[in-house]
């Protein structure tokens, strides 16, 4: 072999090794793929996914599946360039910058904890939305979740305090607290009536100017609402996190508590956050969630209006998109699908 040929062989091998090394180099991206999907009317393991006690429940047919997105990568477990390239070429996979899922200066553990808390909150909101739709009485309590260090409430109010009134006016929800305190001028004193350790006490707190909103009065508390329902609802989803299953949880609870089978035996999947009043909000990963639903056998997909444009662009064959803004609207659409009568909102909105 001539010296020139040997040089070319060595150079080619060197370039090949550099290419392989580059392909295996970790990159700060996350690959999003279709994740598991579960029927809210079915079981998780041996137990019903939704268990209701304290009221009569009814047998159901069909499916009301919530869907998830699985991710690969993240800090400490980054995907390599080759995996990212394969994901970019796969229409069912989205490759996104790492900070989209894991914000900078936030640990992976913290992100997972937040996702778990969002799932817990979504289950409570879903139960409240179902009770609202069924016209069943629900009691709401406003609790102090945390106190911001260095602000007036620090050392005055405590996590777990139940706020029952402000300046003698009964409080029904967080909006009432925010509106009442916000109507004061910075420097004015607000008298909180709180229930602590089973006893009610009045605690004066002087407001200060909000560091974020000019002229707005604050005291420095983070609040949360606690609901008391006329029935006990337990939702088991394993290690799934996030708020996007809220709509499907609320529909599953409603279906179990009503004699009418709202699916009509159809395989329905969907997604969307839910508020206690039944408002449906947008979610992430709509492309992967639709693929997961269709792969599981769904033919109808309940889609938040704000996700419609992306959903239409990536809709799998054989999946019908039904646009939803509220739980009540979703129920009306399901009735129309079941009976063949009435309008069925479609994506995109007309």
């Amino acid at each position: 072999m001539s010296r020139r040929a040997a040089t070319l062989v060595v150079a080619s091998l060197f370039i090949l090794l550099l290419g392989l090394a580059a392909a295996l180099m970790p990159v700060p991206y996350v690959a999003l793929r279709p994740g598991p999907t579960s029927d809210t009317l079915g079981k998780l393991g041996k137990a019903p996914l939704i268990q209701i006690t304290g009221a009569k429940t009814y047998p159901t047919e069909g499916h009301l599946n919530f869907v998830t997105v699985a991710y690969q990568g993240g800090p400490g477990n980054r995907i390599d360039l080759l995996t990212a390239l394969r994901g970019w070429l796969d229409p069912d996979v989205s490759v996104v910058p790492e900070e989209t899922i894991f914000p900078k200066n936030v640990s992976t553990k913290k992100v997972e904890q937040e996702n778990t808390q969002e799932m817990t909150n979504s289950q409570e909101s879903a139960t409240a939305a179902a009770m609202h739709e069924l016209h069943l009485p629900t009691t709401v309590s406003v609790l102090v979740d945390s106190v911001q260090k260095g602000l007036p409430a620090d050392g005055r109010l405590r996590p777990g305090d139940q706020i029952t009134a402000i300046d003698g006016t009964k409080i029904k929800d967080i909006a009432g607290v925010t509106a009442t305190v916000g109507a004061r001028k910075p420097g004015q004193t607000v008298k909180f009536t709180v229930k602590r350790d089973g006893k009610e006490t009045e605690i004066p707190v002087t407001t200060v100017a909000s560091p974020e909103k000019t002229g707005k009065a604050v005291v420095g508390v983070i609040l949360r609402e606690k609901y008391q329902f006329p029935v006990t609802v337990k939702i088991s989803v394993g290690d799934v996190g996030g708020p996007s299953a809220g709509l499907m949880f609320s529909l599953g609870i409603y279906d179990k508590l009503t004699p009418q089978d709202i699916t009509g035996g159809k395989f329905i999947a969907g997604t969307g956050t839910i508020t206690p009043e039944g408002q449906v909000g947008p979610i992430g990963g709509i492309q992967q969630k639709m693929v997961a639903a269709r792969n599981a056998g769904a033919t109808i997909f309940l889609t938040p209006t704000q996700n419609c444009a992306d959903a239409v662009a990536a809709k799998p064959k054989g999946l019908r998109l039904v646009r939803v803004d509220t739980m009540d609207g979703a129920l009306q659409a399901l009735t129309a699908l079941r009976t063949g009568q009435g309008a069925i909102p479609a994506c995109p909105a007309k």
Side-chain angles (χ1 to χ4, degrees):
M1 180 183 294
S2 67
R3 179 178 295 179
R4 182 182 179 187
T7 301
L8 287 173
V9 169
V10 171
S12 297
L13 288 173
F14 183 68
I15 292 171
L16 178 62
L17 289 173
L18 282 177
L20 289 173
L24 298 175
M25 183 180 299
V27 291
Y29 288 89
V30 175
L32 305 179
R33 305 176 185 277
T37 174
S38 300
D39 184 12
T40 62
L41 304 177
K43 293 184 176 182
L44 186 71
K46 295 182 179 180
L49 193 146
I50 296 176
Q51 300 180 62
I52 301 174
T53 55
K56 182 178 181 180
T57 57
Y58 299 87
T60 60
E61 296 181 2
H63 291 71
L64 285 170
N65 279 46
F66 75 88
V67 285
T68 64
V69 174
Y71 70 85
Q72 181 182 4
N77 188 33
R78 284 179 169 172
I79 59 174
D80 55 46
L81 180 59
L82 186 60
T83 300
L85 290 172
R86 284 201 300 260
W88 275 313
L89 295 173
D90 189 336
D92 294 343
V93 178
S94 291
V95 179
V96 299
E98 189 175 82
E99 59 265 26
T100 304
I101 310 298
F102 301 95
K104 291 182 179 179
N105 302 320
V106 179
S107 67
T108 302
K109 184 178 180 180
K110 179 67 173 176
V111 171
E112 291 173 348
Q113 288 174 339
E114 289 176 351
N115 286 338
T116 299
Q117 186 59 53
E118 286 181 336
M119 171 58 79
T120 300
N121 294 342
S122 77
Q123 293 174 8
E124 190 162 71
S125 293
T127 304
M131 298 301 108
H132 179 77
E133 195 65 33
L134 291 163
H135 304 292
L136 294 176
T138 299
T139 302
V140 183
S141 301
V142 178
L143 303 181
V144 175
D145 189 57
S146 61
V147 179
Q148 295 174 289
K149 192 173 180 61
L151 289 180
D154 188 13
R156 305 289 293 163
L157 299 177
R158 302 176 188 172
D161 283 348
Q162 178 184 341
I163 300 174
T164 59
I166 296 179
D167 292 336
T169 301
K170 187 176 180 181
I171 290 298
K172 296 181 179 180
D173 52 29
I174 290 177
V177 177
T178 304
T180 303
V181 174
R184 301 293 187 271
K185 293 181 179 179
Q188 290 184 325
T189 298
V190 178
K191 293 181 181 178
F192 287 87
T193 302
V194 303
K195 187 177 289 185
R196 179 186 295 172
D197 299 328
K199 298 179 180 180
E200 274 199 341
T201 183
E202 193 174 83
I203 301 174
V205 181
T206 302
T207 64
V208 294
S210 169
E212 299 173 353
K213 296 182 179 180
T214 304
K216 197 78 170 179
V218 297
V219 295
V221 289
I222 306 298
L223 305 173
R224 64 183 176 91
E225 291 178 345
K226 181 179 180 181
Y227 296 88
Q228 289 182 305
F229 303 114
V231 299
T232 300
V233 178
K234 180 181 179 182
I235 303 176
S236 302
V237 294
D239 60 358
V240 176
S244 64
L247 170 63
M248 302 313 292
F249 289 151
S250 63
L251 292 174
I253 295 166
Y254 182 95
D255 201 9
K256 284 175 172 282
L257 287 171
T258 51
Q260 176 66 62
D261 180 5
I262 66 174
T263 68
K266 294 179 172 60
F267 195 135
I268 297 165
T271 189
T273 62
I274 196 83
T275 68
E277 297 75 32
Q279 295 292 320
V280 176
I283 51 80
I286 189 72
Q287 175 184 347
Q288 289 72 40
K289 289 176 179 178
M290 290 190 301
V291 172
R294 188 69 188 108
N295 288 345
T299 57
I300 297 163
F301 193 82
L302 303 180
T303 311
T305 293
Q306 290 170 271
N307 290 119
C308 268
D310 291 336
V312 168
K315 181 178 75 70
K317 186 178 180 180
L319 193 65
R320 180 177 184 176
L321 304 183
V322 175
R323 174 172 51 87
V324 294
D325 292 298
T326 64
M327 180 183 175
D328 184 65
L331 289 169
Q332 290 183 39
L334 292 177
T335 298
L337 285 165
R338 187 177 65 251
T339 63
Q341 299 178 351
I344 302 171
C347 282
K350 300 296 183 182

